Amino acid sequence: MEMDGQRKERLVLNALITFADACTLPSLTPSCPFYELENDLPSCQEQCRQLASEMGSEDRPVVQQRIGGLVMKGRQIPKFVVGGMNDFDAGREFMAQRHLDPDSQSVTSLLIGLESHFIRAVLGSQTSINLTIEIWTELKKRKFPVAVATSSGMSATLADTILALISLPTLRKHGYLVPAIETVESEIENCWIDLATTSFNKFRENDVPEADVRPQKVLIIPKALRPKELQSDEIVRIARNDEFLSYIFHPDFFVRVHQWFSKILLEGPEAALARIVPNASLFSSLEKKSQQDEYGRWLWDRLTVTQLDQWALTSLTHEWNWIKNADDHGIDRRFLRARETELERVTDTYFEKLLSVKTVQRSSNFSTASFTHAAVEKLRAGNPNEAAEIFAGLTEILPSSGEAWNNLGFCRMAFDLDSALKAFARSAQFSRSFAPIWIANHILALHLGGRTEEALLLSKLPVPPEHVDAVWAWEITSLPHRPTLIQVDDSNEYLEQVIAFVSRSS
């Protein structure tokens, strides 16, 4: 049956609008004919929106809203446009499937879930050993080489997390991080700190000249400690002037931690979960050379890493051979067909990485901002539990994201102050500085939780004034029984109001 001209035009217009809304910075669609790179970053002139306007679509300006640390920016999608782009997005796939039983999840969702459980175990957080093993078992049932893939793809992330944990106490002493009112410590964290201290002391006992200890030309700065503006000069300066930090940020120490997790993951989940921390003698015997199965890394990258520019060079090489020559290197083709990539884009990305003099830190595969729209809508609809669930999922993927923990705490203030305070404490652990609205929310949560003395102590923390657009916050007297969102034009003034309210109530 032929479509009449009007319906056909409507269909094309709706598809164009959907494409335009799905294709937003920083992750533009490489297959778009208007896609281009400027200074190694994706860019365009929004020609798709111009075309849609020419075809009769109403102009929809960009809207930005902020709600207690949540920032939402985007265009309203017409209600009649119910479709969407079907591009691969590992983060969204996990968020959509993480509540399903393992046998109903995709391999991508299972791998990301598995990584989140191991990261929680490394952080000393409560995690389900049975569920971790169940996920691992499900992957094995599907004939997926889970041990090789996790050993090659997950071990560096776990090592990065450990370096962040070990360095936090020393960095706080140097004033790099604002001390949290409530610290979150674990037995595992203390064991790793003890191991690092023992290794450092043995290193010094070997009479190694100070010049060999610091300053190092290369320092491995954990991603969890890097602010958004790539890499902090301040943390490098602190590390170069502290022998302990110079030691643990040295590539040799990182590689040993990397090697530990790489080897233990090959033994299976039980061994990895049971032996998170090696003893000092075993640790010192590990090779100072990183070894990983490059095919396992390729499989991990293509199934869990959305952006090609975040893949390893070897992964891009194998991907090119797979597209060009159907070279699967013995990997089950079911897993290779789970995602399609473009040969031209793979080639361009490979040479960009190969020829780049300076490695640029790209945005994370998972960003808090990309999920704030749904959270804001649920908060406005009076469903803070559902909004909190979004950020609970994000903290599983980004356990060292201060922003994700902060947003989780803000949402939970409406229904569970104890868990909100725990989330704020986690946020403090991984945040470099705090906005007035964050301080205000934490003070209010402490006071309502019966910890007014700590709230008043936090109120004395020097906070630089913030000049931002209007923010959304909880109406001070509405919590905890009738949580009401209000729009605040001046977050600094709101902080003063919260402090005054708590002071009067004490």
Side-chain angles (χ1 to χ4, degrees):
M1 181 178 67
E2 294 185 357
M3 292 186 291
D4 60 62
Q6 186 175 10
R7 290 185 181 183
K8 183 177 180 180
E9 184 176 343
R10 182 65 176 272
L11 176 63
V12 173
L13 176 59
N14 288 356
L16 181 58
I17 292 173
T18 304
F19 181 92
D21 284 317
C23 179
T24 57
L25 287 171
S27 303
L28 299 182
T29 305
S31 60
C32 175
F34 298 109
Y35 177 92
E36 59 185 31
L37 290 173
E38 291 184 3
N39 298 323
D40 294 329
L41 295 175
S43 178
C44 72
Q45 302 300 318
E46 294 195 339
Q47 290 92 336
C48 55
R49 300 194 189 282
Q50 297 173 20
L51 289 173
S53 179
E54 292 172 4
M55 294 179 66
S57 172
E58 295 182 1
D59 182 39
R60 293 173 294 115
V62 174
V63 177
Q64 178 168 313
Q65 292 178 311
R66 181 165 177 170
I67 178 168
L70 309 178
V71 178
M72 179 185 70
K73 183 176 182 179
R75 302 174 190 262
Q76 182 180 2
I77 299 177
K79 291 183 179 179
F80 57 79
V81 179
V82 296
M85 295 298 295
N86 194 30
D87 292 337
F88 178 84
D89 189 317
R92 293 189 183 278
E93 194 165 317
F94 171 73
M95 293 294 290
Q97 300 181 20
R98 68 188 185 91
H99 289 304
L100 302 177
D101 292 335
D103 59 3
S104 298
Q105 295 184 40
S106 66
V107 172
T108 290
S109 180
L110 290 172
L111 288 175
I112 295 175
L114 193 64
E115 183 179 44
S116 73
H117 282 292
F118 275 106
I119 291 176
R120 288 174 64 84
V122 165
L123 287 171
S125 303
Q126 184 177 1
T127 189
S128 173
I129 295 178
N130 290 337
L131 180 56
T132 304
I133 295 175
E134 186 179 355
I135 293 174
W136 189 288
T137 303
E138 175 62 30
L139 287 165
K140 290 187 66 175
K141 285 181 180 177
R142 302 185 193 184
K143 308 299 182 184
F144 182 82
V146 57
V148 173
T150 55
S151 173
S152 303
M154 190 194 302
S155 51
T157 301
L158 298 181
D160 188 273
T161 304
I162 290 299
L163 260 64
L165 275 181
I166 294 173
S167 62
L168 279 173
T170 304
L171 287 170
R172 286 201 180 96
K173 291 178 182 178
H174 288 287
Y176 179 73
L177 294 169
V178 179
I181 293 297
E182 176 187 350
T183 58
V184 181
E185 296 182 351
S186 68
E187 181 180 353
I188 291 176
E189 178 182 349
N190 292 331
C191 288
W192 273 108
I193 292 175
D194 290 343
L195 171 62
T197 303
T198 301
S199 299
F200 173 62
N201 291 335
K202 286 185 176 181
F203 182 77
R204 298 186 68 184
E205 290 171 1
N206 290 332
D207 296 325
V208 178
E210 183 178 349
D212 289 343
V213 180
R214 61 176 180 137
Q216 300 292 349
K217 292 183 179 180
V218 179
L219 293 176
I220 305 295
I221 306 298
K223 293 179 182 178
L225 301 178
R226 299 177 194 163
K228 293 181 180 178
E229 57 273 16
L230 308 188
Q231 182 168 308
S232 169
D233 292 336
E234 182 182 359
I235 192 173
V236 173
R237 176 186 59 77
I238 293 173
R240 292 194 186 284
N241 289 279
D242 185 288
E243 289 186 350
F244 178 70
L245 290 178
S246 291
Y247 173 73
I248 65 172
F249 287 162
H250 188 281
D252 286 353
F253 187 85
F254 174 83
V255 169
R256 278 199 172 108
V257 180
H258 185 186
Q259 280 289 87
W260 167 251
F261 285 113
S262 181
K263 291 179 181 297
I264 203 169
L265 283 167
L266 288 173
E267 301 299 322
E270 297 91 342
L273 292 172
R275 301 180 63 195
I276 295 294
V277 187
N279 60 50
S281 298
L282 180 59
F283 182 76
S284 62
S285 68
L286 293 170
E287 298 178 9
K288 292 186 290 185
K289 181 179 180 182
S290 181
Q291 298 176 350
Q292 65 178 14
D293 186 301
E294 59 185 46
Y295 302 120
R297 177 62 186 271
W298 173 41
L299 200 51
W300 178 270
D301 282 348
R302 77 184 321 275
L303 291 176
T304 68
V305 182
T306 303
Q307 302 296 332
L308 289 177
D309 53 19
Q310 295 178 12
W311 287 22
L313 273 174
T314 55
S315 298
L316 290 169
T317 301
H318 296 314
E319 186 72 9
W320 190 92
N321 281 324
W322 160 245
I323 301 172
K324 186 72 173 178
N325 306 314
D327 190 351
D328 57 21
H329 298 286
I331 295 175
D332 191 326
R333 295 195 173 196
R334 289 179 301 151
F335 305 121
L336 298 179
R337 294 192 182 104
R339 177 181 185 179
E340 294 183 2
T341 56
E342 297 178 355
L343 182 63
E344 182 179 358
R345 182 59 181 150
V346 171
T347 304
D348 290 345
T349 305
Y350 175 85
F351 283 110
E352 287 171 15
K353 291 177 70 72
L354 184 66
L355 299 177
S356 62
V357 177
K358 181 178 179 180
T359 301
V360 176
Q361 284 292 325
R362 305 284 184 170
S363 59
S364 171
N365 286 320
F366 312 102
S367 97
T368 304
S370 63
F371 293 96
T372 55
H373 176 79
V376 169
E377 290 301 311
K378 293 184 183 300
L379 286 171
R380 284 178 150 180
N383 299 317
N385 298 68
E386 295 181 15
E389 186 62 21
I390 292 175
F391 294 113
L394 277 177
T395 59
E396 292 181 17
I397 308 173
L398 305 170
S400 58
S401 169
E403 185 181 3
W405 284 108
N406 169 65
N407 291 352
L408 176 60
F410 177 80
C411 295
R412 285 181 171 173
M413 283 180 67
F415 62 92
D416 190 340
L417 285 171
D418 287 340
S419 63
L421 285 169
K422 291 178 181 178
F424 281 134
R426 278 293 190 189
S427 176
Q429 188 177 20
F430 295 110
S431 296
R432 174 65 182 91
S433 60
F434 307 113
I437 192 67
W438 186 97
I439 297 293
N441 287 329
H442 201 166
I443 290 174
L444 191 56
L446 284 168
H447 170 66
L448 295 174
R451 296 162 59 180
T452 302
E453 184 176 344
E454 293 176 65
L456 292 174
L457 179 62
L458 182 59
S459 70
K460 301 183 187 308
L461 188 72
V463 181
E466 183 182 44
H467 303 286
V468 297
D469 296 332
V471 300
W472 289 86
W474 295 119
E475 202 283 317
I476 297 175
T477 59
S478 71
L479 294 170
H481 303 297
R482 297 184 306 278
T484 304
L485 286 175
I486 59 172
Q487 193 169 33
V488 177
D489 294 328
D490 188 335
S491 59
N492 305 290
E493 182 179 344
Y494 178 75
L495 172 59
E496 294 176 0
Q497 293 173 356
V498 169
I499 294 175
F501 172 76
V502 174
S503 298
R504 289 195 304 268
S505 302
S506 64

